[in-house]
Structure formats: C-alpha cells, structure tokens
C-alpha cells in the first residue's frame, strides 16, 4: 500500500512540483491550498505525513498544527517556511512539528527529510507497541505514564509540550547512559540536523525548569563536550 502525504501549500506552482516529485517517489499525494481546508482534510483522512506551509490563507500553518495536535493527531508534520531563525524553529517544534524546511529548498533534501520523518514515525509506532507491557518510566521521584502521557514529580502533575515530552522519554529510556546531542537530534527529531545544535540547549533548559531540576537534585546532568545523562544515583 502506498504511503499517503498531504501537501498544504497555497503557492500553486510549488504545490504542483511537490506533487510531481512525491508521486515519482511512489507516494500518494493530496493537495490543499489553504489552511482551513488542509486542517479539515487532515482530520478526516489518514496520512503518513503532512507537508505544511506556514504562511497560508484562511488559517496559518502554525494554527493548523496547533489544532491538529490539540485534536490528538500524531501524524508527522514538516513545516515549509521562508523564515529561518532558531526562535521560529523552536515555536514550530514546540507545537509538535517533526521537522522544519526553509524555502527555497532543494527537492532532494526535502525528499530525504520526508523519508526520514515517515521512517522515524513508523519506528516509534513499532517501538511503542513493543513496550506496551511496561507503560511507566521513572527515575527517583519523577514518573511518566507513556499510555496517558502524564508526567508527575513527587505526585505533582507537569505539563510538557510534545517535543519536551519526547525528549524526556528518550532520556528516560537511556537513563544511566550518556546520550550525545547528535543522538538526541536524530532520535527525538527524527532527522540528521544540519547546522547549529543550540535547539537542544533550549529544550533542555525548558525541560529542567518545568521539572524543577535545581542544582542540588539535578535529574538531567550535562556531560561537558558530549551530551546529557539521567542517573538513578
């Protein structure tokens, strides 16, 4: 069965090129040209991936993404935008985007990211199925229920963004081990990140703050020049 991709792009020529290239790679492609239609279609149909332009008529790509995640959709989303700042990337990723491609882009790079996001999402589904027998992760007084996605520390509930949650679960699955920054980017974001890795620093800082991770009882420890670790002792 062909993998299905929804392209939400208001620039007709770009949408046409994406459809041709993706169909050549044997994907089934559906096009929507505004945010409202894109959101409705994404909620009604099942897709393996959504390519979502940020600047859209009727409803912005960011708002489409926000509503998709609020509705419980975990379909991988790659944002397409002319903006290229760390703040914009963090905002999109905080809302649950899986990747971020800046226009103008090389079609070969976009196709590689499409393959990577779909492959990563498929592996996560398989991984989650394999660990259903152990739905709870914990370290010290921190607990995560991977079925309900509930995070608590000392019995107090903690609200995390989708990407903060993914990062925490990855660290917990590798507790007592050192994980590299590159490993985090590849396994949490699902692609080989090109350029600066300061996005990781931003997320670690946000996660520590929400966990109340002070210096006297730090759960997430920095291993200088390598990455991070969560240790039982």
């Amino acid at each position: 069965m062909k993998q299905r991709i929804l392209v939400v792009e208001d620039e007709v020529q770009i949408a046409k090129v994406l459809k041709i290239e993706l169909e050549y790679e044997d994907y089934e492609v559906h096009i929507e040209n505004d945010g409202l239609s894109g959101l409705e279609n994404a909620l009604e149909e099942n897709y393996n991936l959504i390519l979502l332009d940020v600047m859209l008529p009727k409803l912005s790509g960011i708002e489409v993404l926000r509503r998709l995640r609020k509705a419980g959709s975990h379909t991988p989303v790659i944002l397409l935008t002319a903006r290229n700042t760390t703040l914009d990337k963090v905002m999109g990723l905080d809302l649950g985007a899986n990747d971020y491609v800046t226009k103008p882009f090389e079609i070969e790079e976009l196709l590689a990211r499409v393959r990577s996001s779909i492959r990563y999402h498929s592996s996560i589904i398989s991984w989650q199925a394999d660990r259903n027998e152990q739905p709870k992760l914990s370290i010290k007084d921190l607990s995560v229920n991977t079925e309900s996605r509930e995070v608590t520390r000392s019995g107090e509930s903690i609200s995390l963004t989708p990407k903060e949650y993914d990062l925490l679960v990855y660290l917990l699955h590798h507790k007592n081990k050192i994980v590299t920054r590159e490993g985090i980017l590849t396994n949490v974001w699902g692609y080989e990140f090109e350029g600066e890795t300061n996005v990781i620093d931003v997320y670690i800082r946000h996660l520590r703050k929400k966990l109340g991770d002070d210096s006297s009882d730090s759960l997430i420890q920095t291993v200088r020049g390598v990455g991070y670790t969560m240790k039982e002792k």
Side-chain angles (χ1 to χ4, degrees), residues 74-90:
H74 298 295
T75 303
V77 173
I78 297 179
L79 293 177
L80 307 176
T81 179
R83 299 173 180 174
N84 188 26
T85 68
T86 297
L87 182 60
D88 288 327
K89 291 179 181 179
V90 169

Side-chain angles (χ1 to χ4, degrees), residues 18-217:
L18 287 174
K19 182 176 175 64
I20 291 172
E21 294 289 348
L22 289 166
E23 288 182 338
Y24 182 79
E25 295 292 321
D26 207 31
Y27 295 109
E28 180 183 330
V29 182
H30 184 86
I31 303 290
E32 293 290 352
N33 298 119
D34 67 76
L36 187 58
S37 297
L39 176 62
E40 292 173 349
N41 191 278
L43 292 174
E44 291 173 359
E45 301 288 339
N46 292 319
Y47 291 99
N48 299 97
L49 180 76
I50 299 172
L51 290 176
L52 180 62
D53 187 29
V54 170
M55 302 298 291
L56 290 168
K58 298 186 179 179
L59 207 62
S60 73
I62 292 295
E63 182 60 19
V64 170
L65 176 62
R66 188 188 70 79
R67 295 190 188 187
L68 278 174
R69 296 306 186 226
K70 186 176 181 180
S73 171
H74 298 295
T75 303
V77 173
I78 297 179
L79 293 177
L80 307 176
T81 179
R83 299 173 180 174
N84 188 26
T85 68
T86 297
L87 182 60
D88 288 327
K89 291 179 181 179
V90 169
M91 179 176 65
L93 295 171
D94 261 347
L95 288 171
N98 299 78
D99 202 347
Y100 197 106
V101 178
T102 306
K103 297 178 181 179
F105 49 80
E106 295 290 336
I107 192 64
E108 290 81 6
E109 179 189 0
L110 179 62
L111 291 174
R113 290 175 182 264
V114 166
R115 289 191 294 269
S116 178
S117 290
I118 291 177
R119 183 172 61 249
Y120 173 70
H121 187 63
S122 298
S123 68
I124 287 295
I125 292 175
S126 175
W127 174 60
Q128 289 175 336
D130 290 341
R131 62 183 172 86
N132 276 342
E133 294 181 359
Q134 294 182 327
K136 292 187 178 180
L137 301 171
S138 63
I139 186 170
K140 296 183 180 180
D141 58 346
L142 177 71
S143 178
V144 177
N145 187 318
T146 58
E147 291 181 340
S148 64
R149 297 176 70 90
E150 182 181 10
V151 180
T152 60
R153 187 170 189 187
S154 297
E156 296 291 327
S157 181
I158 299 171
S159 177
L160 301 179
T161 67
K163 197 55 65 178
E164 289 168 351
Y165 173 85
D166 290 343
L167 173 58
L168 177 60
V169 168
Y170 179 74
L171 291 171
L172 282 171
H173 269 281
H174 295 81
K175 66 182 180 181
N176 300 317
K177 298 178 182 178
I178 298 173
V179 294
T180 65
R181 295 157 66 90
E182 291 75 14
I184 292 172
L185 286 167
T186 300
N187 290 282
V188 176
W189 273 262
Y191 62 93
E192 291 291 347
F193 186 83
E194 296 180 1
E196 297 181 1
T197 60
N198 55 351
V199 168
I200 293 294
D201 300 328
V202 173
Y203 274 89
I204 291 290
R205 184 168 67 250
H206 289 176
L207 189 54
R208 280 173 168 161
K209 183 177 180 180
K210 290 187 177 182
L211 296 179
D213 207 8
D214 57 43
S215 58
S216 63
D217 188 26

